[in-house]
Amino acid sequence: MNPANYLKIKNKIPSNVNILAVSKGFKSQDIKIIQNIGQNDFGESKVQEAFEKQSTLKDLKEINWHFIGRIQSNKIRKVVQNFKYIHSVDSFEKLQKISNISLQEKKCPLIMLQVKLSEDPTKGGFKPEFLILKWKEIQKLKNISLTGLMTINPKGLSSKENSVLFKKCRELADSLQLPDCSMGMSGDWEEAIDAGSTWLRLGSIIFGGRS
Ligand SMILES: *Cc1c(COP(=O)(O)O)cnc(C)c1O
C-alpha cells in the first residue's frame, strides 16, 4: 500500500465529507500506515477478520471501527460490542435486535440504515416506502443513534445512473432529517460527493487491489 494514494484522494475531498477506509482484505500493517497520517475511521465487513485487527491494533485508541458487512443475527452482540458505527442494518427485525442487545450491553451504536433503491437481487435493505411508514416506530427504539442512510449501487451503472440513485438516497435522508449518507465506493465516489454523501466507503482506491 502506498500512502500517497490516500493523501491524493484526501486532498480532493471536501472537508465535510468523511473517508471510511475499507480495510477488509488488507492487513493491520496497512491500517497503521494511514492511521499514522490521520485516518481514524476503518470499515470491516467480517466479524472474525475485524476482531483480529482490532486486537492487533488495540493500542491505537483513536481508531473508530465501522461494520459495513451483511449482519447475521447471531453475530449482532459481537458487532454491538466491538463497533462504534454500523452502516449495514438491512431490516427492521435486525434493528430491533440491535436495540435490545445495545440496551443489555449499555452501548449506543451509531446506525446507518441500508436502503434498497434499485432492483438489485444481490443487495438487501429497507424499501423507502417501508422506512417512511415505520419511521415513528423506528425512532422509538432505544440505545441506537440513527445518523443516516447507506446505499450500495449495483455494479456497471453509468455515471448518470449512479448519480440518480445517490440523489434518491440523499433526498430520503433529508426527508427523515438524517444528516448522514454512507454512499460512494472506489468506482463512484465522485458522483456520491456531488449528491451529498457524508461517508465515502473507499477500499481499493486507497489500499490497492485485493488479493
Ligand atoms: C468492500 C466494500 C467497499 C469498498 O469497496 P472498494 O470498491 O474497494 O472501494 C465499500 N462498501 C462495502 C459495503 C464494501 O463491502
Side-chain angles (χ1 to χ4, degrees):
M1 91 118 351
N2 178 356
N5 292 341
Y6 168 74
L7 291 173
K8 206 159 115 192
I9 191 151
K10 175 93 187 152
N11 288 332
K12 282 196 203 161
I13 288 174
S15 57
N16 61 317
V17 180
N18 301 287
I19 296 179
L20 176 61
V22 177
S23 46
K24 67 164 194 231
F26 298 101
K27 298 194 180 75
S28 300
Q29 186 53 33
D30 295 326
I31 295 178
K32 255 189 184 166
I33 292 170
I34 57 169
Q35 200 272 334
N36 199 33
I37 51 175
Q39 176 65 30
N40 282 314
D41 291 282
F42 291 91
E44 291 283 337
S45 60
K46 295 202 179 100
V47 174
Q48 191 54 41
E49 181 186 340
F51 283 175
E52 284 161 25
K53 295 176 201 175
Q54 289 171 340
S55 141
T56 307
L57 300 170
K58 61 181 181 308
D59 293 337
L60 301 179
K61 306 277 185 227
E62 302 89 349
I63 293 186
N64 303 311
W65 294 100
H66 298 236
F67 191 77
I68 62 166
R70 178 163 283 194
I71 304 176
Q72 295 168 266
S73 285
N74 62 350
K75 301 237 169 95
I76 286 178
R77 189 173 302 275
K78 290 193 164 161
V79 171
V80 165
Q81 286 167 337
N82 294 286
F83 292 85
K84 179 172 179 180
Y85 289 80
I86 311 174
H87 288 235
S88 43
V89 182
D90 58 4
S91 76
F92 185 59
E93 291 68 35
K94 285 183 203 171
L95 189 62
Q96 284 177 307
K97 197 160 175 192
I98 290 170
S99 164
N100 290 335
I101 290 176
S102 297
L103 194 61
Q104 294 165 8
E105 298 283 337
K106 301 193 172 63
K107 296 272 189 186
C108 188
L110 293 152
I111 302 273
M112 293 180 237
L113 301 174
Q114 186 170 349
V115 287
K116 189 176 170 67
L117 302 173
S118 61
E119 285 307 315
D120 181 345
T122 66
K123 299 287 177 318
F126 288 84
K127 293 247 172 74
E129 312 79 60
F130 178 89
L131 208 52
I132 291 164
L133 199 71
K134 282 263 191 189
W135 192 238
K136 284 235 161 71
E137 208 178 319
I138 288 173
Q139 284 182 297
K140 285 186 194 137
L141 294 173
K142 293 190 176 131
N143 287 66
I144 56 170
S145 173
L146 290 168
T147 76
L149 303 180
M150 177 270 216
T151 198
I152 308 173
N153 282 358
K155 291 205 172 86
L157 297 188
S158 68
S159 166
K160 199 159 176 201
E161 289 165 327
N162 278 320
S163 296
V164 168
L165 292 176
F166 289 150
K167 282 178 187 154
K168 270 196 197 171
C169 187
R170 184 68 262 176
E171 280 167 20
L172 184 58
D174 287 345
S175 77
L176 302 171
Q177 293 180 304
L178 292 170
D180 285 312
C181 279
S182 166
M183 58 189 191
M185 302 173 34
S186 293
D188 54 18
W189 59 275
E190 286 164 301
E191 293 94 329
I193 291 177
D194 289 340
S197 174
T198 62
W199 282 103
L200 303 173
R201 304 183 311 272
L202 304 176
S204 46
I205 200 171
I206 292 177
F207 292 105
R210 282 183 203 88
S211 46

